[in-house]
């Protein structure tokens, strides 16, 4: 599958979109990978293709087989609200809790959650994601989340973005049994031409 808007934007820049294959059933799914690994685009592409297929339009994919759902819950981006007095973390957690409530009420949902608990500390963030995956043991639709946290849960289906290969990002998703997130942030920062002294100090602190 691909995302038409992203594909068109890349084409304007003389670049080519790398299609992504993914398959899943009712089991929870995690997608791990470095920043700029295309995880958010995967979620947006899944939501788009689900809608296109359910409403009888042509899909943005070579092949597509779906399980129709009653609702698509796409939790992505900053849920912060100054008006409501809600922080990024609180807004995100409330949105996910709303998804849980609908699932427990028996609604058939395709839930797509982008990096839950990313705006809090990694210790509690990891525990929150682990807890979420235990709560969502199985659904009538599907539950997919992306994360930067190392997840120990063995009952979920795991995909990993291949990541940097010879200095270029490979967006291919591969199934994995390992929950460890790849450490590619510094390499990606270097490829973007980030301040060399900042990179040097980062490497020094990492080695210490």
């Amino acid at each position: 599958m691909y995302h038409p808007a992203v594909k068109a934007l890349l084409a304007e820049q003389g670049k080519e979109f790398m299609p992504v294959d993914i398959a899943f059933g009712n089991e929870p799914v995690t997608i791990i990978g470095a920043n700029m690994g295309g995880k958010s685009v995967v979620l947006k592409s899944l939501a788009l293709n689900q809608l296109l297929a359910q409403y009888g339009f042509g899909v943005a994919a070579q092949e597509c087989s779906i399980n129709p759902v009653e609702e698509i819950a796409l939790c992505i981006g900053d849920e912060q609200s100054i008006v409501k007095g809600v922080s990024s973390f609180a807004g995100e957690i409330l949105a996910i809790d709303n998804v849980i409530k609908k699932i427990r009420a028996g609604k058939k949902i395709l839930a797509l959650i982008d990096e839950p608990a990313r705006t809090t500390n990694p210790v509690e963030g990891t525990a929150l994601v682990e807890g979420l995956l235990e709560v969502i043991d199985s659904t009538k639709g599907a539950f997919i989340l992306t994360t930067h946290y190392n997840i120990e849960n063995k009952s979920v289906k795991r995909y990993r973005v291949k990541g940097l290969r010879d200095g270029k990002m490979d967006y291919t998703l591969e199934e994995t049994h390992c929950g460890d997130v790849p450490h590619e942030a510094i390499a990606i920062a270097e490829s973007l031409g980030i301040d060399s002294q900042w990179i040097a100090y980062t490497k020094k602190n990492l080695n210490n």
Side-chain angles (χ1 to χ4, degrees):
M1 66 178 181
Y2 62 92
H3 194 288
V6 179
K7 184 178 181 179
L9 181 63
L10 289 173
E12 289 177 4
Q13 302 171 4
K15 300 177 182 178
E16 188 174 346
F17 189 98
M18 181 181 291
V20 174
D21 295 328
I22 185 170
F24 52 89
N26 291 337
E27 77 274 38
V29 178
T30 61
I31 302 176
I32 59 175
N35 283 315
M36 295 182 63
K39 300 185 299 300
S40 300
V41 174
V42 168
L43 296 188
K44 292 177 181 179
S45 300
L46 282 171
L48 175 64
N49 278 292
Q50 183 79 24
L51 284 170
L52 289 173
Q54 285 198 201
Y55 285 97
F57 294 101
V59 295
Q62 185 174 350
E63 295 181 20
C64 179
S65 176
I66 67 158
N67 181 13
V69 295
E70 297 174 66
E71 182 180 333
I72 299 171
L74 181 60
C75 296
I76 189 169
D78 195 344
E79 300 288 343
Q80 184 184 67
S81 174
I82 297 175
V83 176
K84 296 180 181 178
V86 176
S87 68
S88 298
F89 173 74
E92 175 190 54
I93 295 302
L94 288 170
I96 296 172
D97 184 63
N98 188 44
V99 172
I100 294 173
K101 285 182 170 65
K102 289 179 179 179
I103 290 173
R104 283 185 168 161
K107 198 163 191 178
K108 194 174 183 180
I109 291 180
L110 170 60
L112 306 166
I113 315 294
D114 193 32
E115 296 186 32
R118 66 186 178 280
T119 55
T120 190
N121 67 80
V123 174
E124 290 180 298
T126 302
L128 280 164
V129 175
E130 289 274 17
L132 177 60
L133 289 170
E134 289 183 59
V135 167
I136 310 299
D137 188 28
S138 62
T139 71
K140 291 184 178 180
F143 191 93
I144 303 172
L145 66 82
T146 67
T147 185
H148 282 297
Y149 297 137
N150 293 335
I151 303 301
E152 299 296 331
N153 191 316
K154 304 297 183 184
S155 64
V156 303
K157 186 172 186 177
R158 304 174 188 272
Y159 280 100
R160 171 178 172 156
V161 179
K162 281 191 175 181
L164 286 175
R165 295 290 187 275
D166 300 321
K168 294 183 179 180
M169 184 64 74
D170 186 337
Y171 299 99
T172 304
L173 293 180
E174 55 185 1
E175 283 195 62
T176 177
H177 298 292
C178 174
D180 293 341
V181 176
H183 297 172
E184 297 177 327
I186 296 175
I188 291 173
E190 284 184 294
S191 72
L192 294 171
I194 300 302
D195 183 82
S196 59
Q197 191 173 32
W198 184 11
I199 296 295
Y201 285 144
T202 299
K203 289 180 177 179
K204 180 193 70 174
N205 290 327
L206 190 62
N207 292 331
N208 290 338

